[in-house]
Amino acid sequence: MHASTTAIDRLDWAGIAERLDQDGHALLPGLLDPEAARDLARRTAATRAAPAFGKPGHGEWFHFGMPLPAPWAEWRVTFYPHLAIIANRWNALLGNDDRYPADLDALLQRDRRAGQDWPQSYLSRLRAGEHVPLHQRGEGEHVFPLQVVALLSEAGRDFQGGEFVMTERRPRMQSRPMVLPLGLGDAAVIATAARPSKGSGGHYRVHLTHGISRVHQGERMGMELSFHDMR
């Protein structure tokens, strides 16, 4: 079954916030039933517009556009208020006076006033030899600092390789690599581009990127769900 909005509301949001504060990501195991995950990958790829190809070796990206297909539209609306609380706390820790509105529609209206009206959420399909390079979703005047990713195929069965990876760049320190052990139907909340980190002199900003390592065999289907739109 698809994760219901009630199930998302009942997640351990205090624990999710703690993990995001510590690592910039929080795993949500089994948010989608395995068969539902496979079905969503098939239906989304079949019903959306023709995929947009990136550079050679980067696979196929099926941009959702608007309106988003189910259940991604419901996920986006349901996740947002919980994530906005975390995002506003992060801004306060970093001394940023900007605050995100309590509901998604208000955020998107603010984006449109700034000329940001291009949805970023997409489904990715990677085959042997392809990868998603390290990147971040930090473009635009208004950037929401959190997003959701999910794996819609099974590592070790449908594909080999294709790990979801993140790097964290800290001032005057070496970058920290991280691998998220996503399984079929698992999701994760990740930092979009930056997060606060606590040091001896208070909180400071660390920058994060994310990507997918090279697929060695088979086909990997995944999803990135963003909350702010781009210019």
Side-chain angles (χ1 to χ4, degrees):
M1 295 177 62
H2 299 166
S4 68
T5 55
T6 301
I8 292 171
D9 285 335
R10 289 178 177 173
L11 291 171
D12 176 13
W13 283 104
I16 291 169
E18 183 177 350
R19 294 192 294 275
L20 285 165
D21 286 350
Q22 180 176 334
D23 293 317
H25 63 81
L27 294 175
L28 309 176
L31 195 62
L32 282 166
D33 176 270
E35 286 308 311
R38 293 185 188 280
D39 179 61
L40 279 173
R42 288 190 295 265
R43 288 195 294 109
T44 303
T47 58
R48 305 312 290 175
F53 288 85
K55 296 180 180 179
H58 294 181
E60 299 170 282
W61 295 15
F62 298 81
H63 283 277
F64 291 164
M66 290 298 286
L68 272 66
W72 313 127
E74 291 83 1
W75 275 30
R76 201 182 188 208
V77 170
T78 307
F79 268 107
Y80 176 79
H82 299 285
L83 298 180
I85 294 171
I86 300 170
N88 283 328
R89 180 169 56 80
W90 280 8
N91 272 5
L93 290 173
L94 292 171
N96 185 342
D97 293 333
D98 187 31
R99 294 295 180 267
Y100 299 99
D103 66 88
L104 181 63
D105 281 344
L107 177 76
L108 297 177
Q109 288 173 17
R110 187 170 73 170
D111 284 354
R112 286 192 287 272
R113 289 194 295 270
Q116 297 176 214
D117 56 5
W118 186 65
Q120 302 181 78
S121 302
Y122 69 91
L123 184 82
S124 65
R125 177 161 62 197
L126 304 177
R127 298 184 174 92
E130 297 176 335
H131 72 287
V132 174
L134 290 169
H135 64 285
Q136 46 181 222
R137 294 291 177 182
E139 305 91 345
E141 178 183 352
H142 300 296
V143 174
F144 191 72
L146 296 159
Q147 64 184 94
V148 176
V149 299
L151 180 62
L152 307 180
S153 49
E154 185 176 355
R157 176 181 170 183
D158 299 322
F159 66 95
Q160 303 286 339
E163 293 88 357
F164 191 94
V165 297
M166 298 181 68
T167 62
E168 182 178 82
R169 189 174 73 252
R170 297 168 287 177
R172 298 178 297 281
M173 300 177 70
Q174 292 183 326
S175 296
R176 179 170 66 133
M178 297 171 281
V179 177
L180 276 61
L182 294 175
L184 174 61
D186 292 348
V189 180
I190 67 170
T192 299
R195 72 173 182 91
S197 182
K198 188 174 183 180
S200 58
H203 285 85
Y204 61 94
R205 185 184 305 273
V206 296
H207 294 272
L208 297 101
T209 58
H210 60 277
I212 300 170
S213 68
R214 182 175 295 172
V215 173
H216 301 304
Q217 295 180 13
E219 180 178 281
R220 182 196 192 277
M221 303 289 287
M223 179 275 300
E224 284 199 23
L225 187 67
S226 295
F227 295 91
H228 69 280
D229 293 339
M230 289 176 55
R231 183 181 293 274

